[in-house]
Amino acid sequence: MAGLSGTGPVPGPVRGLVVGAALFGGTVLLGVLLAPLWWWLAPRPEVVVLPDGGVFTGASEDVFAGEGYFVVITALAGLVTGYATYMVQFSLARRRFQDLRTVGLVAGTLGAAAASVLVWRIGVALDGPAREAMLATDPGGTVVAALQLQATAFLVAWPFVHVLQYGLLDAFSLMRADQPGVPEPVRVVAPPSEASEGGEGRDPRPGGTHPGEAGTSG
């Protein structure tokens, strides 16, 4: 990678921070783009407004479909970002010898977690008019529910799948022994000993014989 100002190579730690920031920002940006997709695809159930201001959702499939769409969208995003993050660091590490696997893993995972939260919060915010309509409906009235994510544990789907995909790709690279930026193990070769060169106990002089061979001939 060229220098930040074009005057020389970027030091290793600075290069790692730049790569990490780029991977984090790209993953977060994807979360911003996927939030409207979740808002547009997720179905909304019809609910009955209760006197205390709450709603009765019932047990229709639409009640859980919105959260199901969230899991599917973020899990697929985890596959994409896990693959993209690993291949980006792989290419950069090959271009200039530097192990960027940890940088890619940490930055990508943090970005996936932040992106998952953004999909949730932006998607819910986009359904603000539906939420206002619920508040304006009289008790006993029926209205289409606003988008929400009750099971916040689903927020881990994106970072979990991201780490899984990233780890699988690194395992394949390890089996192929083509991990760029990772130094090969140093092999120490012992120098040949005198015994192995001339044979153990053999007279090094020309025509010399093994001690056990003396006196064996007739």
Side-chain angles (χ1 to χ4, degrees):
M1 181 180 288
L4 294 176
S5 59
T7 58
V10 180
V14 176
R15 183 173 185 254
L17 290 175
V18 172
V19 172
L23 295 175
F24 177 85
T27 306
V28 170
L29 178 61
L30 181 60
V32 175
L33 297 177
L34 289 179
L37 179 64
W38 177 51
W39 170 79
W40 180 61
L41 291 178
R44 280 74 157 173
E46 289 189 352
V47 298
V48 177
V49 179
L50 301 176
D52 59 355
V55 294
F56 176 72
T57 59
S60 65
E61 294 181 358
D62 290 343
V63 175
F64 310 100
E67 298 184 350
Y69 273 90
F70 180 89
V71 174
V72 171
I73 291 173
T74 55
L76 291 176
L79 289 175
V80 173
T81 57
Y83 178 84
T85 301
Y86 188 84
M87 295 311 298
V88 167
Q89 69 82 25
F90 189 95
S91 176
L92 294 176
R94 174 174 288 179
R95 184 177 304 175
R96 173 182 166 187
F97 190 83
Q98 183 181 0
D99 190 357
L100 297 171
R101 292 176 301 161
T102 302
V103 171
L105 177 62
V106 174
T109 304
L110 292 177
S116 185
V117 174
L118 286 175
V119 173
W120 169 39
R121 300 308 301 172
I122 295 176
V124 171
L126 290 174
D127 231 19
R131 189 166 291 101
E132 294 177 358
M134 291 173 55
L135 297 176
T137 303
D138 296 331
T142 301
V143 66
V144 177
L147 186 63
Q148 59 181 342
L149 183 68
Q150 293 182 347
T152 54
F154 291 153
L155 292 172
V156 304
W158 189 335
F160 175 78
V161 177
H162 174 96
V163 172
L164 183 61
Q165 174 77 321
Y166 194 98
L168 288 175
L169 291 174
D170 192 54
F172 291 149
S173 181
L174 178 61
M175 290 188 295
R176 294 194 306 263
D178 64 348
Q179 294 172 308
V182 180
E184 297 182 358
V186 179
R187 298 180 180 179
V188 179
V189 180
S193 62
E194 181 179 347
S196 62
E197 290 180 352
E200 184 178 359
R202 186 178 294 277
D203 190 348
R205 294 174 298 177
T209 59
H210 192 280
E213 297 176 358
T216 57
S217 61

